[in-house]
Amino acid sequence: MRIPKETIDILKDQVFAFDTFFVTSQEPYEGGVLFKGNLRGQAARSYEKISTRMQNKFDDEYKLFLLINPEDDKPVAVVVPKTTLQPETTAVPEWLAAGAFGLVTVFTLLLRNVPALQSNLLSTFDNLNLLSNGLPGAFFTALLLGVHELGHILVAKSTGVKLGVPFFVPSWQIGSFGAITRIKNIVPNREDLLKVAAAGPLAGFSLGFVLFLLGFILPPSDGIGVVVDASVFHESFLAGGVAKLLLGDVLKEGTPISVNPLVIWAWAGLLINAINSIPAGELDGGRISFAIWGRKASARFTSLSIGLLGLSSLFNDVAFYWVVLIFILQRGPIAPLSEEITDPENKYVALGVLVLILGLLVCLPYPFPFNYDSINTNF
């Protein structure tokens, strides 16, 4: 579908103007027209003026985008017929597919918390009664997943962003990789995208950190808890730092330690939040990096993140599966926003950066020894 020449002339002469966007040239663009020129004033204000004029001239026939041209980093305006923006239909209803994924995720959450079944997955079907032992751990991990998604939903509702049904991704290593949630409409601007993308991880990290701290403070209900080697806390900078701060000299290299299972359950939830905060593709972290630094920088972050995950996959099977998942389902690109030029407010940028830093702290190892006696004995 092409926009008639008469319509293009009206757009150039009556819709775009000296006070908003002075057109110098135009070219066909995916069924619409891409206008190059000079943006006047603030992008958000100019977008509002142009949209109002276009609405008065053509009702709801066309959709306007103000974007950054990746070739020269200059603003461009794109006008396309709204009929070209109709959402794709799927053969299987979204809620049905999401329900199937959810059931499998419930199973993997239970399985992940029953070590006796993890060594032989096929034996699970002969010992389904053992899955009930995984209920407490599955509940707390599912609670963190639910709070994460609820954060997205509440902020999306307040910003007018429509979200699809979340598809929970099962994982036999950590129970779940989180959820894939499709954005169903066109997001107005980068600030709204940032709010929605950061809300989920912030909610998940907040509750996860509180539960993680409680796990160290509260004694195990059975008096024994879970016995782990102290070296396990080297796997996360955040977990290792908190464990050293709260346990002090009790935490020694090579020494088994008993902890409340809540520590492990909350840690799993923090890890799931951290994985979704990786700045790649359409993950929460990818959307955050796009919203803060723009499309070109976001593409570079995606390439860097996938490269680092690829290297990590040589030593960690969770990283391998996450690389595959990003390539198949989440590599993007992120759909165009109505207006991509205006930067978000600094307070929202700070929240987005906080999410990225928290994700990094959870994923990076703790490099320092827990007790320096072990170093001295080696000399």
Side-chain angles (χ1 to χ4, degrees), residues 197-199 201-202 205 277 284-285 288 350-360:
L202 283 173
F205 278 131
S277 301
D284 291 334
I288 288 170
L351 290 176
V353 172
L354 176 62
V355 168
L356 299 179
I357 292 175
L358 287 173
L360 199 61

Side-chain angles (χ1 to χ4, degrees), residues 42-323:
Q42 295 181 346
R45 181 59 180 159
S46 295
Y47 181 89
E48 183 181 344
K49 288 182 178 180
I50 297 169
S51 296
T52 301
R53 292 169 185 167
M54 198 161 66
Q55 173 79 19
N56 294 336
K57 292 289 183 182
F58 306 107
D59 293 327
D60 289 324
E61 190 173 352
Y62 298 104
K63 171 63 181 175
L64 169 70
F65 297 89
L66 273 184
L67 311 173
I68 296 292
N69 189 345
E71 297 176 358
D72 56 12
D73 293 330
K74 293 183 178 179
V76 293
V78 176
V79 177
V80 297
K82 284 193 174 180
T83 53
T84 65
L85 303 175
Q86 298 301 319
E88 297 179 358
T89 57
T90 57
V92 179
E94 188 177 51
W95 63 268
L96 183 61
F101 272 83
L103 288 175
V104 177
T105 301
V106 169
F107 175 76
T108 55
L109 285 173
L110 291 169
L111 183 64
R112 190 252 172 200
N113 288 281
V114 185
L117 298 176
Q118 292 173 10
S119 58
N120 185 0
L121 295 179
L122 295 179
S123 68
T124 304
F125 300 99
D126 298 324
N127 300 277
L128 291 176
N129 58 308
L130 292 180
L131 287 178
S132 61
N133 296 336
L135 279 173
F139 169 78
F140 280 102
T141 307
L143 175 64
L144 289 168
L145 289 172
V147 167
H148 179 115
E149 293 307 312
L150 184 62
H152 285 312
I153 292 169
L154 293 177
V155 176
K157 187 174 182 180
S158 68
T159 56
V161 176
K162 297 179 181 178
L163 300 178
V165 180
F167 284 72
F168 289 96
V169 182
S171 165
W172 58 82
Q173 296 100 335
I174 57 175
S176 174
F177 281 134
I180 296 172
T181 306
R182 185 169 60 95
I183 295 178
K184 300 175 69 173
N185 65 336
I186 298 171
V187 180
N189 51 58
R190 286 160 52 195
E191 183 168 292
D192 286 344
L193 180 65
L194 177 56
K195 291 177 183 177
V196 174
L202 283 173
F205 278 131
S206 299
L207 179 59
F209 190 66
V210 169
L211 293 177
F212 189 68
L213 292 176
L214 285 175
F216 284 108
I217 296 171
L218 300 176
S221 58
D222 59 359
I224 301 174
V226 177
V227 178
V228 297
D229 192 280
S231 62
V232 73
F233 290 104
H234 278 294
E235 296 180 7
S236 168
F237 193 97
L238 181 67
V242 172
K244 180 59 181 175
L245 179 66
L246 296 180
L247 299 179
D249 294 336
V250 175
L251 196 65
K252 296 181 179 180
E253 305 289 350
T255 303
I257 183 173
S258 174
V259 297
N260 192 315
L262 187 58
V263 170
I264 308 300
W265 302 334
W267 190 352
L270 289 171
L271 180 59
I272 294 170
N273 270 276
I275 290 174
N276 281 275
S277 301
I278 294 172
E282 292 195 79
L283 301 178
D284 291 334
R287 288 170 175 168
I288 288 170
S289 65
F290 171 89
I292 295 175
W293 295 293
R295 189 172 295 275
K296 184 178 287 188
S298 175
R300 292 170 181 163
F301 274 114
T302 295
S303 300
L304 177 62
S305 298
I306 291 177
L308 292 176
L309 281 172
L311 291 175
S312 300
S313 67
L314 299 174
F315 314 98
N316 188 308
D317 57 348
V318 174
F320 170 77
Y321 288 110
W322 199 244
V323 169

